[in-house]
Amino acid sequence: MNTSSPDAVHPRFLKKPVFLVGGLKIALVQLSVGPDKAKNVEAAVREIHKAKEMGAQLVALPECFNAPYGTKYFSEYAEEVPGGGTSAALSAAAAAARVCVVGGSLPERCGPRLYNTCTVWGPAGELLAKHRKVHLFDIDIPDKITFRESDVLSPGDQITTFEYGGIKIGLGICYDLRFPEMAQIMADQGCSLLVYPGAFNMTTGPRHWEVLARARASDLQLWVALVSPARAAAADYVAWGHSLLVDPWGQPAATLGHEPDTLLADIDLNTVEEVRSQIPVRRQKRNDIYEIVHKTNKCQTD
């Protein structure tokens, strides 16, 4: 049995032997999202309970699961976090089902600012984490898609992780996936799973959705989960769908199509240990030449 030195910050890696029995059953819920916020939230709560019945311990929802995705909708659908109705519904659902809920994302109003925000709720209904999308989706692909979240939204300024079921989990939202430095910091902090609620579109989805997930997973030797809304061809913004889970070898473990559906799979910690011991890039990094530094923002305005 391999007893090599630990290669991550999280205390789990300080224990011997390296290979541990453990894991987490995760459900990625690919919801159909329409213009009626109440119906969207009701559908999410219903699917949380269904996932629990299938054995899920952690249930993840997609980006903007309670509202249509688009700059013209953010202000209309925005609410306070955690004081708004959507947060209350997720908290109650997590407590009733006794699961951890990664609440996709919703438009958050905080004073004069709007954010794209993910909330995480524990099995007692407690707020475990809140992540505001750090990298705003501003792109221009001629004759394909032009979108500017920064016209309406403010960016978050924090790296977000939380622990559940003995696994440290990192959070990002959609465009955050494109920035490996952010993922590297979460991995350095001991994460074995990164969850990205996202809504890639019909241009970037087929090109980059799976590629980026596999890159983050293989580079950092951890699990990566992407959770998309279902595709709605009549929507102003058409999501790619294809929610997926990628293992620490960089291989898709499970994936969905573009219809409403739920992906249920096991996060196996043994796979993380296996990859990191057999290909020990974390111990081989040349920190004497290069290093990614996490600068904590100590000045909070809200």
Side-chain angles (χ1 to χ4, degrees):
M1 183 171 290
N2 191 311
T3 57
S4 56
S5 301
D7 62 354
V9 173
H10 194 262
R12 177 167 62 78
F13 290 89
L14 300 178
K15 300 176 183 178
K16 303 293 183 179
V18 172
F19 296 121
L20 305 174
V21 176
L24 191 71
K25 189 172 289 292
I26 186 173
L28 310 182
V29 181
Q30 188 164 281
L31 288 169
S32 179
V33 179
D36 189 320
K37 181 194 283 191
K39 288 183 178 180
N40 293 334
V41 174
E42 288 171 5
V45 169
R46 186 165 56 249
E47 294 303 321
I48 289 168
H49 285 282
K50 287 183 180 179
K52 168 65 175 185
E53 292 172 1
M54 293 188 290
Q57 297 165 285
L58 184 148
V59 183
L61 305 177
E63 182 181 24
C64 278
F65 77 93
N66 73 338
Y69 181 74
T71 55
K72 70 180 182 180
Y73 299 111
F74 292 145
S75 180
E76 176 186 355
Y77 285 81
E79 55 185 73
E80 293 184 355
V81 173
T86 300
S87 292
L90 292 181
S91 172
R98 301 296 297 173
V99 295
C100 178
V101 174
V102 177
S105 81
L106 71 156
E108 177 196 2
R109 186 181 302 279
C110 184
R113 296 182 180 180
L114 298 177
Y115 298 93
N116 190 346
T117 300
C118 176
T119 58
V120 181
W121 304 91
E126 74 278 24
L127 182 64
L128 295 181
K130 182 175 82 169
H131 176 71
R132 289 170 171 168
K133 191 173 189 177
V134 172
H135 303 95
L136 297 183
F137 182 52
D138 289 3
I139 69 166
D140 182 15
I141 303 176
D143 301 320
K144 295 290 185 179
I145 182 171
T146 298
F147 202 98
R148 287 185 54 83
E149 278 189 324
S150 64
D151 287 345
V152 179
L153 300 178
S154 295
D157 59 7
Q158 297 292 318
I159 302 292
T160 307
T161 65
F162 68 98
E163 191 160 346
Y164 182 71
I167 299 179
K168 194 158 188 183
I169 300 168
L171 286 178
I173 298 175
C174 202
Y175 204 54
D176 287 338
L177 177 64
R178 291 188 178 273
F179 297 86
E181 298 86 355
M182 178 177 168
Q184 178 71 68
I185 290 169
M186 292 189 285
D188 289 346
Q189 291 179 353
C191 291
S192 298
L193 167 66
L194 304 183
V195 180
Y196 293 89
F200 275 38
N201 54 73
M202 298 298 292
T203 298
T204 61
R207 290 170 171 82
H208 297 147
W209 177 252
E210 181 178 316
V211 170
L212 289 168
R214 295 182 69 178
R216 298 294 87 81
S218 59
D219 284 349
L220 302 173
Q221 301 176 315
L222 41 64
W223 292 89
V224 173
L226 306 188
V227 198
S228 172
R231 190 179 305 171
D236 295 341
Y237 180 97
V238 181
W240 171 239
H242 295 282
S243 299
L244 83 156
L245 180 69
V246 179
D247 71 22
W249 288 105
Q251 298 300 306
T255 186
L256 297 178
H258 60 80
E259 300 290 340
D261 201 353
T262 294
L263 184 159
L264 189 70
D266 290 308
I267 303 296
D268 184 2
L269 296 184
N270 289 331
T271 308
V272 178
E273 310 294 356
E274 178 185 64
V275 175
R276 292 180 179 181
S277 66
Q278 294 180 17
I279 308 176
V281 293
R282 289 169 171 245
R283 296 199 305 275
Q284 296 165 341
K285 286 171 61 177
R286 291 294 302 276
N287 288 328
D288 58 321
I289 299 176
Y290 54 84
E291 187 175 7
I292 294 176
V293 179
H294 179 200
K295 180 180 179 182
T296 302
N297 187 346
K298 297 181 180 180
C299 181
Q300 299 296 316
T301 58
D302 50 53

